[in-house]
C-alpha cells in the first residue's frame, strides 16, 4: 500500500472514529477507538512497535491535559467520573496520535504551521464535540482560550518528540 493510500485511510479511520466517539461517548466508543487503533497498527503502520510507543506517550500527555481541564472546570464530560478523562476521550487521543505519523505528517515541512493551526483546530474539535453533546465547555470563551493554549503547547511538542525520539516514524518508506 502506498504512503498516500495509507494516509488517506488513516484520515478516514480517524474521522469516522472521532464521529462515533462523540455521538456515542461511553464504553462502546472506547472499545471502538481501540479497535480502530489496532486496525491502524495492523494495516497502516510500517513501524508498529515504535508507533505504538509514540501513541502511548501521546495518550498519556493528552489524557493528562484533558484531566487537568476536567478538574479546573474548563471542560466537563457527562460520561466522566472522578475527575479523570473518560475512556472514550482517552480513545480519541489514541486515534488522534495515529494521525501525527500519517495524515498530519505533512506538517513536518512547515514547522511554524502547528503553532498556527493547533490553537484553532484543537478547540474546534472540542467545540464540535460540545455541539454534539459529548462534552461541555463550561466556561465558554475562557474554555476555548484554555484549550487553545493547551493545543498550542502540546501539539508542537508531540511533533518535536516524534522527530527527535521516533525518527523512523518521520519518513515513511514506499
Amino acid at each position: 500500500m502506498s504512503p498516500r493510500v495509507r494516509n488517506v485511510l488513516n484520515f478516514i479511520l480517524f474521522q469516522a472514529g472521532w464521529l462515533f466517539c462523540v455521538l456515542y461517548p461511553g464504553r462502546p466508543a472506547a472499545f471502538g477507538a481501540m479497535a480502530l487503533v489496532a486496525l491502524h497498527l495492523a494495516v497502516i503502520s510500517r513501524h508498529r512497535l515504535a508507533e505504538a510507543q509514540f501513541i502511548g506517550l501521546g495518550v498519556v500527555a493528552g489524557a493528562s491535559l484533558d484531566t487537568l481541564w476536567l478538574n479546573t472546570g474548563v471542560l466537563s464530560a457527562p460520561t466522566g467520573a472522578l475527575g479523570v478523562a473518560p475512556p472514550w476521550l482517552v480513545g480519541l487521543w489514541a486515534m488522534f496520535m495515529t494521525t501525527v505519523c500519517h495524515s498530519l505528517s505533512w506538517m513536518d515541512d512547515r514547522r511554524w504551521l502547528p503553532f498556527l493551526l493547533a490553537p484553532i483546530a484543537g478547540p474546534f474539535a472540542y467545540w464540535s464535540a460540545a455541539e454534539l453533546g459529548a462534552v461541555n465547555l463550561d466556561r465558554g470563551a475562557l474554555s476555548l482560550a484554555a484549550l487553545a493554549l493547551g493545543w498550542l503547547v502540546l501539539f508542537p511538542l508531540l511533533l518535536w518528540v516524534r522527530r527527535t525520539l521516533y525518527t523512523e516514524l518521520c519518513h515513511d518508506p514506499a
Side-chain angles (χ1 to χ4, degrees):
M1 180 180 329
S2 76
R4 180 174 293 225
V5 170
R6 282 196 302 275
N7 287 345
V8 169
L9 185 55
N10 169 256
F11 177 79
I12 292 168
L13 287 175
F14 173 73
Q15 296 301 323
W18 183 91
L19 187 59
F20 180 75
C21 283
V22 299
L23 289 178
Y24 306 103
R27 285 196 181 135
F31 290 125
M34 291 302 106
L36 288 176
V37 170
L39 178 64
H40 167 86
L41 290 171
V43 175
I44 298 170
S45 180
R46 303 295 274 175
H47 305 282
R48 290 174 182 88
L49 181 58
E51 191 168 355
Q53 290 172 349
F54 179 66
I55 289 168
L57 179 101
V59 164
V60 169
S64 296
L65 189 56
D66 280 344
T67 297
L68 173 68
W69 288 331
L70 287 164
N71 284 303
T72 57
V74 167
L75 181 69
S76 65
T79 58
L82 304 175
V84 297
W88 67 270
L89 199 49
V90 175
L92 272 175
W93 275 104
M95 288 188 312
F96 172 73
M97 289 304 296
T98 69
T99 68
V100 177
C101 298
H102 296 279
S103 57
L104 292 179
S105 65
W106 57 272
M107 286 198 186
D108 269 347
D109 296 333
R110 299 158 190 91
R111 294 206 176 155
W112 56 271
L113 197 54
F115 293 98
L116 178 65
L117 292 183
I120 298 167
F124 180 73
Y126 285 83
W127 176 83
S128 299
E131 290 296 305
L132 293 170
V135 295
N136 298 310
L137 302 177
D138 296 330
R139 300 197 178 177
L142 183 60
S143 290
L144 291 172
L147 292 166
L149 179 61
W151 276 89
L152 174 67
V153 172
L154 185 58
F155 186 61
L157 180 62
L158 290 170
L159 292 174
W160 179 83
V161 166
R162 192 197 69 211
R163 276 192 312 272
T164 306
L165 301 179
Y166 296 94
T167 56
E168 68 273 24
L169 301 178
C170 294
H171 302 289
D172 195 14

